[in-house]
Amino acid sequence: MTTFATKTRLLLTGIAGLLVSSQVALAQDCTPKHTFATIEEGTLTVAVTTYVPHSYLDDSGNMKGIDGDIAAEFAKRECLKVKAVAVDPAAAIQYVLSGQADIATGDWYRTAERAKVMNLSAPLYTDQMAIYSKNGFADVGDLEDKQVGTVQGYLWVTDLKTMLGSKLRLYPNSVNMQQDLFSGRIDVAVDGYSTGVVAEKNGAFKDVKVKVAASDDRVRATKEAAQAAFPYSFNAKELGVALDAGIEAMHADGTIVGILKSYGLDGTAAETGAPRLVQ
């Protein structure tokens, strides 16, 4: 005789079977747009830095942010699962170079120096160097004789080191730097413009003002808006072809504009122009 408990187990087993079948069917129905290898078959492994609004993990460990959403959409169109690995900005590039991640997220600029050691995808959007201060500084000259913080690995670090010497303090991420700025341990912070604008709009910066740095020959990053990209290995050429095609398609169909706007940024940041490397 079949008991109620047995019937319940059979019913639940049947439902689970339907769910599994449905997932398999969805996977079978998905046709990738390109053929390329990833570190883990069927999975896009992403080194995710914490750099809001570009890159972060939510409380459930899901990849988020502008870069994260673009990478997730790319994975979806190529029928890949996403494996997100949380890393500090200083370690993200090494994760890609050492074969632990396929790409990295975090507003990575297309620079000539970075292009010497790895490939960079087609441009995602543009970003500019910004000065964060309570005084509303906009000129690089205003940083002289101040205690200044920035995140290690960024485009402008070398030039600022030359200019400021021991007065420049390097941080592993923006969160730690901002905490020191708010507490007064540093006078000024230098970071990307977009992340500051979003924080300002959300009321997170209180009396700190964010200004695009005025052009100054001493800091090359002030001369031209940088293009953000996904860094990937020299050995992953087929992945690069797929990334470039996917990014081009997302520019064309408005996906990237939509993602930028969803994080409170102006959609014009998607107007990257032709790919270029900041020298």
Side-chain angles (χ1 to χ4, degrees):
M1 181 177 177
T2 304
T3 65
F4 175 76
T6 302
K7 288 180 179 179
T8 302
R9 284 196 298 272
L10 289 172
L11 177 61
L12 292 173
T13 301
I15 292 172
L18 286 172
L19 289 173
V20 170
S21 298
S22 174
Q23 290 169 347
V24 171
L26 284 172
Q28 290 173 341
D29 288 344
C30 185
T31 303
K33 297 183 180 298
H34 301 86
T35 301
F36 56 92
T38 53
I39 292 167
E40 184 177 330
E41 185 177 357
T43 300
L44 184 71
T45 304
V46 184
V48 180
T49 65
T50 300
Y51 188 46
V52 180
H54 301 279
S55 173
Y56 62 95
L57 297 180
D58 66 13
D59 292 339
S60 301
N62 297 313
M63 180 174 65
K64 295 294 183 181
I66 298 165
D67 296 26
D69 287 2
I70 295 172
E73 180 63 22
F74 168 76
K76 176 183 174 183
R77 296 184 185 193
E78 296 293 351
C79 310
L80 297 170
K81 295 183 293 182
V82 172
K83 180 180 178 181
V85 182
V87 298
D88 275 337
I93 295 300
Q94 190 56 41
Y95 260 72
V96 176
L97 291 175
S98 62
Q100 298 178 76
D102 294 300
I103 63 172
T105 59
D107 192 17
W108 293 103
Y109 290 173
R110 290 173 49 85
T111 69
E113 197 66 27
R114 189 165 288 140
K116 293 177 182 177
V117 297
M118 65 199 319
N119 280 324
L120 300 165
S121 74
L124 306 174
Y125 50 81
T126 59
D127 196 12
Q128 295 168 285
M129 172 180 155
I131 298 173
Y132 297 39
S133 72
K134 294 180 180 180
N135 304 86
F137 294 143
D139 294 322
V140 170
D142 292 328
L143 307 185
E144 295 178 295
D145 300 323
K146 302 289 191 305
Q147 293 296 324
V148 180
T150 194
V151 178
Q152 56 193 12
Y154 281 5
L155 173 62
W156 46 77
V157 168
T158 300
D159 289 341
L160 287 180
K161 272 185 179 179
T162 300
M163 179 182 162
L164 301 172
S166 61
K167 292 188 178 296
L168 180 68
R169 184 180 299 182
L170 298 180
Y171 293 85
N173 55 60
S174 293
V175 175
N176 293 347
M177 178 182 67
Q178 289 172 12
Q179 287 173 346
D180 276 7
L181 178 63
F182 297 149
S183 68
R185 285 189 286 269
I186 57 175
D187 304 310
V188 184
V190 178
D191 210 338
Y193 178 66
S194 54
T195 188
V197 167
V198 171
E200 273 190 320
K201 287 181 178 178
N202 294 335
F205 272 9
K206 303 174 185 176
D207 53 352
V208 171
K209 302 175 181 66
V210 180
K211 302 290 185 181
V212 173
S215 178
D216 189 302
D217 290 338
R218 291 174 293 178
V219 183
R220 288 169 294 175
T222 64
K223 305 286 286 182
E224 185 176 39
Q227 297 171 325
F230 292 133
Y232 65 96
S233 170
F234 278 143
N235 299 323
K237 293 181 180 177
E238 292 82 6
L239 169 61
V241 170
L243 281 170
D244 288 353
I247 292 166
E248 182 180 353
M250 283 187 264
H251 276 300
D253 64 20
T255 297
I256 291 179
V257 168
I259 290 172
L260 287 165
K261 288 182 176 180
S262 74
Y263 286 94
L265 295 176
D266 194 318
T268 57
E271 298 171 7
T272 63
R276 60 180 180 272
L277 296 175
V278 177
Q279 299 300 316

